[in-house]
Amino acid sequence: MNVPKAELHCHIEGAAPPSLVRRLARQHDIDVSEIIDGKGKYVWSDFTTFLKAYDVSSSVFKTPSDYALLAETYFRMLAAEGAIYGEITISPDHAQAAGLSYKSYVEGLAAGIERAKTETAIEGRMIAIGVRHFGSASVERVAKEVIATPHPLVTGFGLAGDERSGHPANFSRAFRMAAEAGLGTTAHAGEFGGPDSVIAALEFLRVKRIGHGVRAIEDKELVKRLADEEIVLEVCPGSNVALGVYSHLRFHPVNILRREGVKITLNSDDPPFFGTTLGKEYSSVAKTFNWSFEDQIAVTRTAIEAAFCDAATRNRLLVRLESAVQETSGN
Ligand code: ADE
Ligand code: ZN
């Protein structure tokens, strides 16, 4: 039974299969032996070395067609797992470091998304992110560039990177500009930071979606606030276990958050780095916490309702979801 799925949180550079990174590295004469081992697996040991490996693997994507290939590969894979919608976070800073302009980067990715859509009918959108540990000036530069160079598939603005650096107050201007320009906004918080980081993201960035957010569980009042204000958490359980935020999936708070009425979605974050896929996230969570088919559909519905897409697309996706559900229950 293939549950219809939707994803709101996946870093496109972090979704690159090691085999593709190796192939492009050879083509562009870049050494990636320090981040991909003999078995074709990414090498890292903690959040800091993960971020480093992520930077190196991103450096092999140098042309719009490299990025088109990456996006097409990822969206086809998502669709093969039953996804009807996916949002990828894109990092203009990483593209710039590889020598690509923002415009070429986005056009390359959009071409890949369109090709995957033609083949599989999957819908895709992009969320441009600023990298927190590059500082507030860099994040504001990204916001300005995204606003000055609009693209119909870039519908969101976000903040990723090392949550341990820089208070959200430093980024409030960038988020205000993005929101005023009509972009949906989301920020990583409550992954390595505690509940205070989630509260600060709500207060200073005024987001309605939070990347991760799971450590809100440590503050009862905050959990109630998230439920009351219908804040949507982009939960990435496999990522949290891989990075040691929780020692095992059965100790992950996703089930309790859901029971407390918090709107949660399931996501893969940086799938090959963490040995996961969106399909694995749905199936492992369902198995561990005994979620029914209907429970999983509710997660997909939440994701579509919170997606950074236009109303017509949202309605089409909801109709597709309901007809997939009908088909499955009719079987
Ligand atoms: N960039 C890529 N993956 C990330 C994560 N899990 N947290 C913060 N920034 C990231
Ligand atoms: Zn993330």
Side-chain angles (χ1 to χ4, degrees):
M1 185 160 43
N2 204 358
V3 179
K5 303 171 183 72
E7 180 165 63
L8 301 183
H9 188 128
C10 175
H11 302 262
I12 191 62
E13 284 85 359
S19 55
L20 176 60
V21 169
R22 258 209 184 127
R23 177 146 58 93
L24 290 174
R26 228 173 288 133
Q27 218 169 291
H28 298 305
D29 204 17
I30 297 168
D31 182 12
V32 290
S33 59
E34 100 193 78
I35 61 146
I36 301 177
D37 69 13
K39 292 186 182 143
K41 289 216 154 55
Y42 284 118
V43 182
W44 53 272
S45 55
D46 55 20
F47 189 49
T48 305
T49 52
F50 155 70
L51 288 174
K52 275 240 162 73
Y54 179 98
D55 289 346
V56 174
S57 71
S58 303
S59 72
V60 309
F61 296 92
K62 293 215 160 287
T63 68
S65 65
D66 293 344
Y67 269 110
L69 180 60
L70 173 57
E72 182 182 3
T73 304
Y74 185 62
F75 276 92
R76 276 175 176 268
M77 208 199 74
L78 265 189
E81 288 195 309
I84 58 173
Y85 182 77
E87 281 174 14
I88 51 172
T89 69
I90 66 170
S91 175
D93 289 305
H94 283 87
Q96 191 187 42
L100 258 186
S101 72
Y102 174 69
K103 190 162 184 288
S104 311
Y105 175 53
V106 165
E107 284 174 357
L109 288 164
I113 295 172
E114 294 295 351
R115 289 208 297 258
K117 181 177 172 178
T118 304
E119 291 299 318
T120 68
I122 190 166
E123 277 287 348
R125 296 291 185 273
M126 294 180 255
I127 302 170
I129 50 125
V131 178
R132 189 173 185 139
H133 53 272
F134 292 172
S136 58
S138 162
V139 173
E140 273 179 37
R141 197 168 350 102
V142 172
K144 283 183 185 151
E145 188 147 48
V146 174
I147 295 163
T149 322
H151 187 285
L153 296 188
V154 179
T155 52
F157 178 74
L159 185 65
D162 198 334
E163 225 183 271
R164 299 164 297 192
S165 88
H167 191 273
N170 301 346
F171 308 106
S172 58
R173 237 166 72 109
F175 273 73
R176 196 169 347 107
M177 287 190 292
E180 281 170 7
L183 295 163
T185 55
T186 176
H188 283 64
E191 179 189 19
F192 288 96
D196 287 355
S197 72
V198 176
I199 294 169
L202 296 175
E203 296 300 313
F204 291 98
L205 308 180
R206 308 240 147 236
V207 287
K208 291 272 177 253
R209 272 172 43 182
I210 300 264
H212 299 281
V214 286
R215 291 196 51 204
I217 197 70
E218 296 162 31
D219 177 342
K220 250 183 160 197
E221 255 177 54
L222 176 58
V223 172
K224 186 172 178 322
R225 176 177 175 191
L226 294 178
D228 289 349
E229 294 183 14
E230 302 191 354
I231 303 297
V232 173
L233 300 188
E234 303 156 7
V235 181
C236 312
S239 160
N240 296 152
V241 172
L243 287 169
V245 181
Y246 300 101
S247 60
H248 193 281
L249 185 55
R250 65 181 176 278
F251 303 128
H252 193 283
V254 63
N255 196 41
I256 305 175
L257 288 164
R258 177 175 160 272
R259 239 184 12 224
E260 294 297 318
V262 178
K263 286 185 179 284
I264 66 111
T265 62
L266 291 176
N267 306 275
S268 65
D269 209 9
D270 304 277
F273 282 88
F274 303 143
T276 191
T277 66
L278 183 63
K280 282 188 190 171
E281 294 299 323
Y282 269 74
S283 60
S284 60
V285 167
K287 191 161 169 241
T288 303
F289 299 111
N290 210 13
W291 289 9
S292 66
F293 178 77
E294 285 71 26
D295 294 333
Q296 295 172 72
I297 293 297
V299 167
T300 303
R301 194 176 293 116
T302 299
I304 294 172
E305 284 166 356
F308 295 153
C309 67
D310 55 281
T313 304
R314 191 186 322 284
N315 288 338
R316 257 195 321 274
L317 289 166
L318 287 170
V319 168
R320 258 183 88 185
L321 175 63
E322 298 318 325
S323 63
V325 172
Q326 296 289 321
E327 247 172 57
T328 313
S329 26
N331 285 340

